[in-house]
Amino acid sequence: MQALIKPLVWLGALAPLALIVVGIFELAGQSLGPNPIREILHVTGKTSLNLLLITLCATPLRELTGQTWWVRPRRLLGLMAFSYALLHFLVYAVLELELQLGELGQELARRPYILVGTVALLALIPLAITSTDRMMRRLGRRWQRLHRLIYPITALGIWHYYWQVKADIREPLIYLGLLAVLLAWRARSAWLRRKSRQVPAASPR
Amino acid sequence: MKNKDDNRILPSEIPSESSFFERRALLGGLLAGATLPSALVSAQQAAVSGAKAAAGAGTPAGGGTASGASLHATPPRYTRNAALSVREPPNSYEDITTYNNFYEFGLDKSDPAEKSGSFRPLPWSVEIGGEAEVTGRYALEDLLRPHALEERIYRFRCVEAWSRVVPWLGLPLGALLQRFKPTSRAKYVEFTTLLDPRRMPGQRVGVLDWPYVEGLRIDEAMHPLALLVVGVHGRWLPNQSGAPLRLIVPWKYGFKSIKSIVRIRFTERQPRTSWNLSAPDEYGFFANVNPAVDHPRWSQAKERRIGGSFLGSRIDTLPFNGYANEVASLYRGMDLRRFY
């Protein structure tokens, strides 16, 4: 499992892209349906969200199992999440809006959900740039602080999804619930750490 | 396009004597049954099994159940109405029937095609009620019998900013409505979709307040472009497209064009329609296609023509979906930003 985890992550993360390509060329009887651009937007956006949430599972899994290898594919997962978010935006700008930049500006100004999604994508850029070992060493403690941006970014991504759903908000709510659980776990860990530090000083009542 | 006086009642449009008597007998039977079920319940029963419901009321089934089961047995016969058709090339049957919003069969665009296979639309009956001189429940065949079916190629524009061109088969809604002699109090027409969560599994999910309800102002309903549809591309309607009877109002967003209709009611007050109830700031009662009034979350200025190439299939949306010459006069003096 430990040796397999990275290949598995590569495979799982590239599978949605492979499905899109298979669909575009209508291989193996697959197709993206009569509105392929919308389908590509949907798949890339949701894959990005899925990968962000999976990334956030790494720390709780390490703490639950005591196995540190859970966090090993974290960088790969994060970079994949960023790549899908970028692809999502490029498909939107190039295929959906056909590179009408004026229209893109208008959409950003008028549609809060597009603004929210764009902010999330922009905020992912510094995290991707500083994902190398060298940057990690150079930034030291600040690296961790910077990368905590992943929490609000994921929340923005879910918000972006929730805001454009027409009626069935169940799926965005599931994402929100998962994020809440993952954040609650971290709050609990932080609280336990603080408590363990304070225990000797605390007097019994 | 000419919209001449399609509103006059032709002799053939007046209900036949036999169907009139059958209707009275059916009503009598229901009354004799001591309990008069609510319109909704009886509509369901009739739709679940028109033959059984009618037999339970102690009368022969309206229009004859034999023909009821066989309406779809032979291909529809129709004539082309070129005068009321657009010149654009129609989308393929596959484009039209594999990408649908019909939440009664699921929320994904592919769900209706994939999950409606076991739905048996026939026998089917429609209850006509409200502010009209002639009311009652009619077998679908009886409703259709006096009318000649015609093919009309219409643009179809979804509120989600995609569109296609569809060769519908149907009959003018106004001609059918006139047969029931709406009274002067009939200011609106309300349409209701079948409510049957067993046959329409999407109705087990509360994304909308089922059953689906839509409505038109009476002058909109009587407009010659408003079409009651029973087929597409020369075939009877497939389930995912709203079999066996749906509405098409080509100058409005697609959600107005209600599917699988079991009830038509003439009302004095504006009907409470499903999407309008669900999100009044997003979906108006009128819902006329209007590139100048955006949906709060997306622009309506352009639309993606389904089935086109990856690039270049995004086209400008036209006021009233390109039918402004025919229908704009219906809304003269109305602020279309307010009444979206």
Side-chain angles (χ1 to χ4, degrees), chain B residues 29-45:
Chain B
L30 285 171
L31 285 169
T35 52
L36 188 64
S38 78
L40 202 66
V41 172
S42 62
Q44 277 186 63
Q45 284 173 347

Side-chain angles (χ1 to χ4, degrees), chain B:
Chain B
M1 287 190 226
K2 300 274 185 296
N3 41 358
K4 292 252 306 166
D5 48 357
D6 270 24
N7 290 353
R8 66 213 158 94
I9 311 174
L10 299 170
S12 65
E13 291 168 347
I14 295 167
S16 70
E17 208 171 285
S18 66
S19 68
F20 185 72
F21 281 118
E22 278 156 12
R23 180 178 49 78
R24 297 204 19 162
L26 179 59
L27 264 182
L30 285 171
L31 285 169
T35 52
L36 188 64
S38 78
L40 202 66
V41 172
S42 62
Q44 277 186 63
Q45 284 173 347
V48 167
S49 167
K52 215 164 88 187
T59 64
T65 46
S67 70
S70 65
L71 175 72
H72 288 182
T74 52
R77 288 215 308 263
Y78 60 92
T79 52
R80 294 223 159 87
N81 187 333
L84 293 183
S85 291
V86 296
R87 303 277 170 267
E88 292 147 78
N91 278 92
S92 70
Y93 183 80
E94 199 195 342
D95 278 352
I96 294 166
T97 58
T98 59
Y99 192 80
N100 308 92
N101 278 320
F102 194 3
Y103 284 8
E104 280 80 347
F105 289 109
L107 299 156
D108 282 348
K109 301 277 186 296
S110 55
D111 279 344
E114 286 164 10
K115 296 180 180 170
S116 68
S118 60
F119 183 80
R120 305 259 306 264
L122 299 180
W124 193 266
S125 64
V126 181
E127 185 201 332
I128 314 265
E131 308 289 351
E133 285 174 34
V134 184
T135 58
R137 181 189 309 290
Y138 296 86
L140 180 61
E141 304 64 48
D142 288 343
L143 276 185
L144 300 181
R145 191 166 294 128
H147 304 274
L149 295 182
E150 46 186 278
E151 180 179 72
R152 298 184 184 181
I153 303 171
Y154 278 170
R155 286 183 211 96
F156 180 94
R157 170 62 156 83
C158 179
V159 72
E160 297 166 357
W162 54 266
S163 67
R164 57 189 168 212
V165 177
V166 187
W168 300 111
L169 302 184
L171 51 124
L173 171 66
L176 182 129
L177 294 181
Q178 291 289 9
R179 285 164 55 196
F180 301 92
K181 301 182 181 165
T183 70
S184 60
R185 290 221 295 245
K187 304 280 198 319
Y188 296 90
V189 187
E190 178 194 87
F191 303 85
T192 308
T193 295
L194 172 70
L195 176 65
D196 189 345
R198 275 175 310 157
R199 296 163 73 204
M200 293 181 152
Q203 290 176 338
R204 293 173 210 156
V205 182
V207 286
L208 286 172
D209 193 5
W210 308 114
Y212 197 87
V213 173
E214 259 309 333
L216 296 171
R217 221 169 50 191
I218 191 86
D219 58 336
E220 298 177 318
M222 294 298 177
H223 192 280
L225 283 175
L227 198 65
L228 264 181
V229 166
V230 295
V232 62
H233 259 301
R235 314 186 203 178
W236 297 108
L237 272 183
N239 294 335
Q240 63 266 35
S241 302
L245 183 72
R246 69 168 299 171
L247 181 67
I248 283 292
V249 194
W251 69 93
K252 292 175 179 284
Y253 293 121
F255 70 88
K256 294 295 290 182
S257 293
I258 185 171
K259 303 186 183 85
S260 302
I261 299 166
V262 293
R263 187 161 66 148
I264 300 176
R265 219 159 55 88
F266 298 94
T267 65
E268 196 168 9
R269 310 258 299 268
Q270 182 176 304
R272 292 160 59 82
T273 54
S274 291
W275 278 107
N276 183 234
L277 282 177
S278 158
D281 54 330
E282 299 186 18
Y283 311 100
F285 173 79
F286 287 95
N288 294 316
V289 175
N290 189 344
V293 176
D294 284 352
H295 183 279
R297 286 176 291 150
W298 56 83
S299 164
Q300 296 291 25
K302 295 189 175 184
E303 64 201 46
R304 173 148 326 268
R305 182 57 59 80
I306 295 287
S309 58
F310 264 92
L311 288 173
S313 60
R314 204 153 163 265
I315 55 177
D316 286 340
T317 291
L318 301 171
F320 298 104
N321 203 21
Y323 298 97
N325 285 343
E326 290 78 27
V327 302
S329 59
L330 294 173
Y331 310 99
R332 199 164 287 144
M334 269 172 72
D335 179 358
L336 295 176
R337 284 192 169 275
R338 216 179 126 220
F339 297 100
Y340 50 90

